Amino acid sequence: MRTFASRTIALFLACLASAAATGQTPAPAAGPALAAAARLGQEDTVERLLAAGADPDRQDDQGNTALMWAARNGHYAAVQRLLKYGARKDLRNDAGSTALDLAFQHGRTDLVALLRDAS
């Protein structure tokens, strides 16, 4: 059984494909879909949303970005793809934490190293 978030992402991707076929630009809702995909570690979906123009630095109502969610939840490949598309690692959420801080707080040592060393 697919989760609500997975169904929402699938529906959103279908909408993006339809918009791309008609030459339309991506909707602002790409940000929440990107955050959901990053939070769930769906790196292929993250890649597709970013390629379709989703803003990697869009912040949710608590100031979290897709990069923060991926780092917090230990999704290495999603973090790599977000960084490849220019996600800013210096942004802070409402609690004052960066993606690096969240990776550290949740014991994601591989991501701490990746985020620390990323240019």
Side-chain angles (χ1 to χ4, degrees):
M1 177 186 285
R2 292 178 8 169
T3 66
F4 175 76
S6 294
R7 288 190 309 267
T8 302
I9 291 168
L11 177 61
F12 185 76
L13 287 173
C15 291
L16 273 181
S18 175
T22 60
Q24 298 174 8
T25 58
L34 179 61
R39 183 172 41 251
L40 297 170
Q42 297 177 342
E43 63 269 2
D44 291 337
T45 302
V46 166
E47 177 91 28
R48 291 189 344 217
L49 289 168
L50 289 166
D55 179 2
D57 296 325
R58 181 167 176 175
Q59 293 178 285
D60 64 20
D61 59 348
Q62 296 177 336
N64 293 303
T65 63
L67 182 63
M68 291 174 191
W69 281 113
R72 179 190 186 282
N73 291 343
H75 300 305
Y76 194 93
V79 169
Q80 284 181 310
R81 291 183 183 177
L82 286 156
L83 290 171
K84 173 181 139 184
Y85 279 86
R88 290 181 47 199
K89 59 182 192 166
D90 64 323
L91 293 178
R92 294 185 179 276
N93 64 16
D94 293 352
S97 298
T98 64
L100 176 63
D101 296 331
L102 293 168
F104 179 79
Q105 291 165 9
H106 292 275
R108 313 294 188 190
T109 55
D110 55 340
L111 290 172
V112 168
L114 175 63
L115 289 162
R116 182 193 61 225
D117 297 338
S119 45

